[in-house]
Amino acid sequence: MILWLCLCWGFSPSAGQPDSELMARYLEEQLLADYSIVEQVARRVPRQAKFLQRLETRPRMSEFHVRSTIISRYAFTTVSCTMVNSGSEAREAVFEMQIPAAAFISNFTMSIGNKTYYGEVTGKEKKNSTNDKERHKKPPSPTEGRENGYETFKASVFIPRKMQARFTLHYEELLQRRLGKYEYTVSIRPQQLVGRLRVEVNILENSGIVSLEVPPLRNSKQKGSGKAEGDVSPPPSTVIGHTKTLAKVTFNPSVVEQTRIARNGILGDFIIRYDVNRELSVGDVQILNGYFVHYFAPTDLPPLPKNVVFVLDSSASMVGTKLKQTKEALFTILQDLRPEDHFNIIGFSNRIKVWQQDQLVPVTPNNIRDAKKYIHNMSPTGGTNINGALQTGAKLLNDYIAQNDIDARSVSLIIFLTDGRPTVGETQSSKILSNTKDAIRDKFCLFTIGIGNDVDHKLLERMALENCGMTRLFQEDEDAASHLKGFYDEIGTPLLSDIRVDYPEEDVEQVTQNFFPNYFNGSEIIIAGKLINRTSDKLHVEVTASNSKKYILLKTDVAIDLPSRNDIRGVPGLEDGKGDNNYIERAWSYLTIKELLNSRLKSDDSQEKDSLMEKAKSMALAYNFVTPFTILKMKEAGLHSEPPQGEFISPSTDGIGEKVQSLQGHKAPPGIHRGQDKQRIKISKTSADGDPHFVIDFPSSKFSVCFNIDGEPGDILRLVSDHKESGVTVNGQLIGAPAPPNGHKKQRTYFSTITILSNKPERSYLEITPRRVILDDGERLVLSCGRSAAVRSRSLEVSISAFSNITVTIRDSISFVILIHHYKKPAPYQRNHLGFYISNSKGLSSDSHGLLGQFLNHEVKLLQESLNTSHQEAGQNQTEALKANPANTLRVKGRLVPVVWKQRRIYNGQQQVECWFAKNNADKLIDGSYQDYLASHPFDTGTSFGTANSL
């Protein structure tokens, strides 16, 4: 897939790219300084550099940064690139990135000057008219721009003079295990030397990381091979560090180092390979937030015998390098066959030639010698009879299985190789597919290989999918033989057949594919699904399969009550992730969409194809994935990409910003329109803010009560608890900071995270920090606090005023406002933090509890205490007189609480509140003690006072 944005459909590197080491050193000195466009333009440069700059006609790339987080094989990658136009007129800039064909793009952002454009994933519309086709140029097919499993993403913009553009691309992929290793690859092809070039990859594998390696950069001609031969040391400037479960790899070459690798700026592919520990024979099952993913890759099993038929294209188009490379690969493959295997070879052009008629022969030295002679004598001639060759191969294998008493636990397969399209015999793809499926009849698997650009990749892909196989597409280059050998190595050692993975039907739903015809050594089987029974403490797993000796059955119970093992929040190096905290759910969605796409590709029924397309489209929209049925549309955000200048970005109670984003299937709330006037948010004084300071407003009594909580960093306070009735719980987690000089406290604490959970009418939650908001109601959405936005889910409405506040409305009857306290240059005792305010509590029940919630439906009486009289209830007209009395008392649920008069400021000092202050951590004011309000984790719903539960 080539995704074009904006104006252009072609790109070629500039011929004037400076490539001397003098220029490289100059660029390094200039671009590594603190970058400013105006300063850069005005800066004096050497005369030779000025001449080289004049030759450069395109904008210069000042920064290329790749940051990746891999969590349990699921990779989140962010590519950011900054281009600068220092010329005197607008110039076109092209951002180009090769990404794995299996990856899904999840977001794209462009900033040009002070304008920012955000990508919105929307469903593709069916074009019904010729005019539509002319107006919207149809994107090329997947084979165009595809290079050995990679596709090209391109975006083109014109940058005004003396300005810069920044591109940010996000994509996600589930790493596949091949030949015993996971391979993560980043394409580094900026097309020019870059002042700041950095790749940073963070890996978290709770199973334990083993065999971590970073081979040299790989160029395009090596791409797609199996094991890279001659791997020596990592690329220059690579730094590798890892513990048992965490690894960090960085690649940060200077401009001089870049010139030594490739003066044209095309460095190659940066590769990381690793594997994980495997202790449980049933595999590794990981569970988080109601989703699970199961990785099954047993080792130390004896190989299964195999019956293999090689079907090789020998038509005239194979002349030269392609046939030569094929022969070299087959010579090596034949040598790797095991004594218990059986095989045969078919060569086809317009004629079908079978090496050994009507039989498969055992692997013996003589048979291998004769087979090599037969392959050596193959000559390219004639057309391409794909249908006839496959029919012959299928009949040969079927007859052998039926007529011979072969081991029932052996594996049969056809390996089919071609470089072109059908030209002889049956040439219609649909008929070839139908004939092949009828001939194989699910008795064995078909693996297809395409060489060169003329091959019908869709035909080969569908043939493999319909017949439990895989397909590979290779380019015609000098490394084709290693590609072919590498692919054979992936499937050459079957260890298990007929693998079935089962879970109790009453415990799981929406499980991905759980039956697999074969498991090959060095690969991995992955299953994912959703949990139905969230209260269960274990998940039962059964794996049945057969190997060369016997049928096997593996059973185990996986503990569900281990959230800390798979929860990655707080893990060093993974703080800036977007969807990272819900990686298991996203892995499930990724696998589900892939299976829907494959099922649609295999289907011949138009209604079924439409149904599968709609399901895939719906899920892609929910998870913000660009797929064949969704597209990325750019929309202007209308907001500055940088926050307002100033030492402290003060929160306010201003309303929603001017632009509304509609993302991931969530809808903008009704009544909010573009360009609407800012509105004042109406919120009460009832709040928890600052150190934290608590304020409870009692409107009918016409006074407020306040208290402090001196908690410990890491404590999670239950602010509102009404899980049983309204289904709402609010928890706040504290972060620590040193106390100001000469203060009476040893430390300060602030709210770093506010978690709002709602269980009615369905499960949803919000996790809010000063940087971002995560909304999850079954469709996960991540929003930045630095960008105004408004979204609405089934029962939650969220409005963000950039760097200011977040309004949360639940079922139109409960509203909270969270103020964002953001310091641009914080003092040592300051921390970015949050303030929590209750705006509307009508939807909360009379039984609600929590540090704030317990007072929402109860009144408090103010009493005057004299030296020798009993308590007297104060009237409203006596309140002013009581302020000066040092001995005043509140009556709270029968308890007497001594209080003093105080003044406080809330809303970041914008409003003053006069209140009655209860000392000693609100002793006697609140039910129980401070410890009764500590939650065990942010998602603890506390079904009753002093107890804990999870949503």
Side-chain angles (χ1 to χ4, degrees):
M1 170 181 62
I2 298 183
L3 177 57
W4 259 116
L5 300 175
C6 299
L7 302 174
C8 104
W9 282 81
F11 176 73
S12 60
S14 168
Q17 170 66 37
D19 61 356
S20 69
E21 189 153 314
L22 173 64
M23 184 56 179
R25 292 188 183 278
Y26 164 71
L27 286 173
E28 181 177 31
E29 293 170 1
Q30 299 298 317
L31 295 177
L32 291 181
D34 185 24
Y35 202 87
S36 167
I37 298 177
V38 176
E39 292 176 356
Q40 185 69 23
V41 172
R43 199 174 282 157
R44 298 181 64 186
V45 298
R47 187 172 299 174
Q48 180 187 1
K50 285 185 176 181
F51 172 75
L52 290 170
Q53 283 179 331
R54 284 196 296 270
L55 293 178
E56 180 64 69
T57 60
R58 58 181 171 173
R60 185 171 60 252
M61 189 179 296
S62 64
E63 182 180 30
F64 183 85
H65 187 187
V66 179
R67 180 181 174 88
S68 176
T69 301
I70 303 172
I71 314 167
S72 293
R73 296 76 146 174
Y74 195 78
F76 300 85
T77 303
T78 301
V79 182
S80 58
C81 169
T82 302
M83 294 189 180
V84 180
N85 178 15
S86 56
S88 58
E89 58 185 19
R91 290 177 176 171
E92 184 184 38
V94 177
F95 170 67
E96 180 176 344
M97 184 70 189
Q98 286 189 4
I99 65 173
F104 285 147
I105 293 170
S106 56
N107 205 354
F108 180 64
T109 307
M110 296 189 299
S111 297
I112 302 102
N114 62 352
K115 291 185 178 181
T116 302
Y117 302 86
Y118 295 96
E120 179 180 343
V121 177
T122 62
K124 280 187 179 179
E125 297 179 0
K126 292 184 178 179
K127 301 178 177 65
N128 297 319
S129 68
T130 306
N131 292 336
D132 285 340
K133 293 180 180 179
E134 291 298 323
R135 208 163 36 241
H136 303 286
K137 195 166 186 178
K138 183 179 179 180
S141 68
T143 55
E144 295 181 37
R146 181 190 291 261
E147 184 181 345
N148 298 341
Y150 288 79
E151 294 172 350
T152 303
F153 175 95
K154 288 186 180 181
S156 172
V157 296
F158 277 87
I159 306 177
R161 59 187 295 272
K162 314 297 184 186
M163 298 189 75
Q164 68 179 12
R166 182 177 180 84
F167 306 89
T168 305
L169 175 68
H170 302 268
Y171 63 88
E172 302 173 22
E173 61 181 311
L174 183 61
L175 302 185
Q176 300 297 310
R177 187 169 183 257
R178 293 174 180 167
L179 303 176
K181 293 285 183 70
Y182 302 100
E183 182 172 291
Y184 175 76
T185 303
V186 175
S187 175
I188 307 175
R189 290 168 169 78
Q191 312 289 336
Q192 55 180 288
L193 302 177
V194 183
R196 301 187 195 95
L197 192 154
R198 179 179 175 85
V199 176
E200 178 181 322
V201 181
N202 295 284
I203 306 172
L204 172 62
E205 295 286 353
N206 285 321
S207 303
I209 299 172
V210 296
S211 306
L212 179 68
E213 62 183 42
V214 182
L217 291 171
R218 180 174 64 188
N219 60 40
S220 60
K221 291 186 177 182
Q222 297 169 325
K223 191 179 290 185
S225 62
K227 292 182 179 179
E229 297 182 1
D231 283 4
V232 282
S233 59
S237 79
T238 301
V239 177
I240 305 171
H242 71 92
T243 62
K244 182 180 178 181
T245 58
L246 278 169
K248 182 174 183 178
V249 180
T250 59
F251 174 56
N252 191 19
S254 66
V255 178
V256 173
E257 289 171 321
Q258 293 173 48
T259 60
R260 292 169 181 166
I261 298 171
R263 294 185 174 184
N264 61 0
I266 302 177
L267 304 185
D269 295 323
F270 185 78
I271 304 165
I272 297 175
R273 297 192 188 105
Y274 72 95
D275 200 12
V276 299
N277 283 317
R278 288 176 175 82
E279 298 177 357
L280 292 174
S281 58
V282 76
D284 178 18
V285 182
Q286 301 187 17
I287 300 171
L288 182 65
N289 295 339
Y291 293 84
F292 74 90
V293 62
H294 183 180
Y295 300 100
F296 181 63
T299 56
D300 301 325
L301 294 172
L304 288 168
K306 59 180 179 289
N307 314 303
V308 56
V309 176
F310 299 96
V311 182
L312 309 177
D313 188 345
S314 60
S315 62
S317 58
M318 289 286 290
V319 67
T321 303
K322 284 185 282 190
L323 188 57
K324 179 184 177 184
Q325 297 287 340
T326 300
K327 290 180 179 181
E328 289 178 4
L330 260 294
F331 291 157
T332 307
I333 289 170
L334 290 174
Q335 206 64 45
D336 288 346
L337 291 174
R338 296 180 176 86
E340 62 271 20
D341 295 339
H342 291 75
F343 73 105
N344 204 339
I345 302 169
I346 296 174
F348 72 95
S349 53
N350 54 340
R351 297 174 58 193
I352 313 297
K353 298 179 181 180
V354 182
W355 170 51
Q356 297 287 340
Q357 290 292 332
D358 303 326
Q359 64 175 326
L360 269 67
V361 299
V363 174
T364 64
N366 288 340
N367 284 339
I368 295 298
R369 180 198 62 204
D370 293 343
K372 288 182 177 180
K373 289 181 179 178
Y374 174 80
I375 292 172
H376 176 75
N377 292 329
M378 289 176 63
S379 58
T381 181
T384 308
N385 188 353
I386 290 178
N387 183 74
L390 287 171
Q391 293 298 304
T392 302
K395 184 178 185 304
L396 185 66
L397 200 48
N398 275 317
D399 290 346
Y400 177 77
I401 294 172
Q403 296 171 7
N404 294 273
D405 185 20
I406 65 171
D407 188 346
R409 299 184 189 97
S410 64
V411 171
S412 300
L413 51 95
I414 292 177
I415 298 177
F416 175 82
L417 182 146
T418 184
D419 75 327
R421 301 170 183 271
T423 60
V424 176
E426 180 60 66
T427 59
Q428 190 174 342
S429 294
S430 60
K431 291 284 184 66
I432 295 174
L433 289 167
S434 176
N435 293 341
T436 303
K437 192 171 184 179
D438 290 342
I440 291 177
R441 300 194 299 274
D442 296 325
K443 290 187 176 181
F444 47 86
C445 296
L446 170 64
F447 297 85
T448 59
I449 302 170
I451 301 179
N453 294 321
D454 297 329
V455 71
D456 188 343
H457 179 262
K458 286 187 177 180
L459 174 62
L460 297 185
E461 182 179 34
R462 186 167 173 184
M463 281 198 303
L465 282 174
E466 289 185 350
N467 298 283
C468 69
M470 298 184 292
T471 189
R472 289 287 187 274
L473 177 66
F474 302 130
Q475 299 299 313
E476 181 184 1
D477 55 40
E478 71 270 14
D479 208 22
S482 66
H483 296 333
L484 298 175
K485 179 60 170 61
F487 180 55
Y488 174 79
D489 287 343
E490 291 183 42
I491 62 176
T493 309
L495 299 182
L496 293 173
S497 62
D498 300 328
I499 306 101
R500 184 177 182 88
V501 185
D502 290 307
Y503 316 90
E505 291 183 0
E506 64 274 14
D507 290 342
V508 299
E509 63 180 350
Q510 299 184 44
V511 178
T512 59
Q513 177 185 349
N514 67 334
F515 177 79
F516 304 86
N518 301 298
Y519 164 71
F520 298 100
N521 186 40
S523 65
E524 185 171 59
I525 289 173
I526 306 175
I527 310 101
K530 298 175 68 174
L531 297 180
I532 298 175
N533 187 2
R534 300 285 295 276
T535 61
S536 176
D537 59 353
K538 62 184 179 181
L539 175 65
H540 185 71
V541 181
E542 289 189 4
V543 180
T544 57
S546 64
N547 68 0
S548 61
K549 301 297 181 184
K550 58 187 175 181
Y551 288 95
I552 59 174
L553 171 62
L554 306 172
K555 296 182 180 181
T556 191
D557 289 329
V558 180
I560 293 178
D561 57 345
L562 294 174
S564 60
R565 184 175 187 270
N566 296 321
D567 195 332
I568 58 130
R569 284 171 293 191
V571 176
L574 306 180
E575 301 90 346
D576 299 329
K578 291 189 174 293
D580 307 7
N581 290 334
N582 228 19
Y583 61 96
I584 291 180
E585 180 182 350
R586 296 193 73 81
W588 166 79
S589 67
Y590 175 96
L591 283 173
T592 303
I593 294 173
K594 289 289 185 182
E595 288 186 5
L596 289 169
L597 296 176
N598 288 339
S599 296
R600 183 181 183 274
L601 183 62
K602 292 189 292 184
S603 176
D604 290 320
D605 184 272
S606 60
Q607 289 186 346
E608 183 185 29
K609 291 173 77 76
D610 288 343
S611 175
L612 292 168
M613 179 188 72
E614 290 302 320
K615 288 180 181 178
K617 182 193 296 184
S618 177
M619 182 165 282
L621 291 173
Y623 288 90
N624 222 53
F625 286 148
V626 178
T627 69
F629 309 125
T630 54
I631 57 175
L632 195 65
K633 289 186 178 180
M634 302 306 295
K635 294 190 175 183
E636 183 178 350
L639 299 172
H640 291 285
S641 57
E642 294 295 326
Q645 297 298 314
E647 293 299 306
F648 178 75
I649 302 173
S650 174
S652 69
T653 54
D654 287 341
I656 308 303
E658 290 78 5
K659 295 289 180 182
V660 175
Q661 299 173 21
S662 179
L663 302 173
Q664 282 191 307
H666 297 84
K667 297 180 180 179
I672 298 178
H673 305 286
R674 297 191 175 203
Q676 76 172 67
D677 295 328
K678 290 185 178 180
Q679 303 172 358
R680 190 74 172 178
I681 297 174
K682 182 181 179 181
I683 56 178
S684 75
K685 301 172 185 176
T686 302
S687 60
D689 204 346
D691 196 3
H693 304 310
F694 289 75
V695 176
I696 302 108
D697 188 35
F698 297 97
S700 61
S701 299
K702 295 188 177 179
F703 63 78
S704 300
V705 177
C706 51
F707 59 92
N708 293 347
I709 290 293
D710 295 325
E712 295 294 325
D715 283 356
I716 301 172
L717 308 185
R718 188 172 291 114
L719 304 178
V720 177
S721 180
D722 195 28
H723 183 74
K724 282 189 174 180
E725 301 300 328
S726 67
V728 174
T729 302
V730 181
N731 297 325
Q733 186 165 8
L734 297 177
I735 189 174
N742 304 320
H744 66 283
K745 290 187 176 182
K746 294 183 180 180
Q747 66 176 356
R748 286 185 167 189
T749 52
Y750 305 96
F751 285 118
S752 62
T753 305
I754 299 291
T755 306
I756 301 173
L757 307 109
S758 175
N759 203 36
K760 295 181 180 179
E762 59 272 313
R763 168 196 174 276
S764 58
Y765 72 84
L766 275 164
E767 188 177 62
I768 302 169
T769 71
R771 295 181 59 251
R772 67 181 186 181
V773 176
I774 298 176
L775 167 61
D776 192 325
D777 61 346
E779 299 175 355
R780 186 177 174 85
L781 172 64
V782 181
L783 299 169
S784 170
C785 291
R787 201 165 71 233
S788 293
V791 295
R792 186 171 196 160
S793 69
R794 301 179 187 93
S795 59
L796 279 176
E797 179 180 323
V798 182
S799 300
I800 302 175
S801 183
F803 296 106
S804 178
N805 61 72
I806 298 142
T807 303
V808 180
T809 303
I810 303 173
R811 300 188 297 275
D812 297 324
S813 61
I814 303 169
S815 297
F816 305 124
V817 175
I818 295 88
L819 296 192
I820 305 170
H821 299 271
H822 184 271
Y823 298 89
K824 190 170 185 182
K825 295 181 179 179
Y829 54 86
Q830 293 174 323
R831 295 289 185 272
N832 294 337
H833 64 281
L834 303 171
F836 176 74
Y837 292 77
I838 297 178
S839 174
N840 180 5
S841 61
K842 291 180 181 179
L844 295 172
S845 74
S846 58
D847 294 329
S848 64
H849 211 271
L851 287 170
L852 293 176
Q854 63 187 296
F855 300 106
L856 296 176
N857 292 288
H858 294 277
E859 285 301 317
V860 175
K861 300 297 182 182
L862 179 62
L863 307 175
Q864 182 180 13
E865 181 180 313
S866 61
L867 295 176
N868 53 10
T869 61
S870 61
H871 294 292
Q872 300 175 359
E873 187 170 317
Q876 294 178 2
N877 58 350
Q878 293 177 292
T879 302
E880 290 297 323
L882 292 174
K883 294 178 182 178
N885 190 337
N888 291 294
T889 305
L890 294 177
R891 185 190 298 276
V892 182
K893 301 180 183 179
R895 302 185 297 268
L896 299 179
V897 185
V899 292
V900 296
W901 188 253
K902 272 199 173 185
Q903 291 184 336
R904 283 202 162 159
R905 288 194 166 275
I906 58 175
Y907 309 153
N908 192 44
Q910 296 180 19
Q911 182 172 340
Q912 181 171 292
V913 174
E914 295 179 333
C915 60
W916 294 104
F917 179 74
K919 300 180 179 179
N920 301 324
N921 257 15
D923 183 39
K924 296 183 181 179
L925 176 68
I926 60 175
D927 296 335
S929 65
Y930 165 75
Q931 285 72 22
D932 294 322
Y933 297 87
L934 294 180
S936 59
H937 55 82
F939 299 93
D940 183 357
T941 56
T943 52
S944 62
F945 180 58
T947 66
N949 192 24
S950 296
L951 181 65

